[in-house]
Amino acid sequence: MDKINVFKSLTNEARLQILEWLKDPVAHFGPQDGIDLVEVGVCVSQITDKLNMTQSTASQYLSMLQKAGLIRATRIGKWTYYKRDEEAIKNLGKFIQTEL
């Protein structure tokens, strides 16, 4: 995990909001045609709608979070689904607790 990229990705309110929503996707997003929100993730279109942003902006935010290692993407057909990488987030917490 590149700590600089992680901290840079957390300096934006919308990216932080995405991480918060993905922590409990069932509470924040509607059902998705046979795709499990918890197991597979949330479709980029639902995240875009909830952010009330263009898809390109939302995709840039998701890409930054993914490059930082905080979320994972799964491609099914023409759709991409995102979910948190809980292990990476846990390791970030340990890093902050022990190193900073």
Side-chain angles (χ1 to χ4, degrees):
M1 178 184 301
D2 179 352
K3 308 297 188 286
I4 298 298
N5 279 336
V6 169
F7 288 113
K8 282 182 182 179
S9 73
L10 298 175
T11 63
N12 176 281
E13 187 176 344
R15 289 189 295 262
L16 283 172
Q17 187 67 70
I18 291 167
L19 285 174
E20 289 176 25
W21 290 334
L22 292 179
K23 185 173 184 176
D24 186 3
V26 174
H28 297 285
F29 298 98
Q32 308 173 129
D33 299 329
I35 302 293
D36 187 303
L37 292 166
V38 176
E39 292 298 316
V40 178
V42 177
C43 182
V44 66
S45 63
Q46 284 203 54
I47 295 169
T48 299
D49 290 346
K50 194 157 179 84
L51 286 170
N52 196 27
M53 294 180 175
T54 64
Q55 186 166 345
S56 64
T57 301
S59 292
Q60 287 175 354
Y61 288 169
L62 290 163
S63 177
M64 188 168 195
L65 289 169
Q66 185 179 7
K67 286 178 186 173
L70 299 173
I71 62 174
R72 287 183 266 140
T74 301
R75 183 101 175 151
I76 300 175
K78 63 180 184 173
W79 305 107
T80 303
Y81 299 86
Y82 291 92
K83 67 184 276 182
R84 288 167 40 123
D85 185 330
E86 295 298 339
E87 189 65 28
I89 292 170
K90 185 170 138 183
N91 289 337
L92 175 61
K94 287 179 186 176
F95 171 77
I96 291 170
Q97 188 174 36
T98 60
E99 302 295 326
L100 294 181

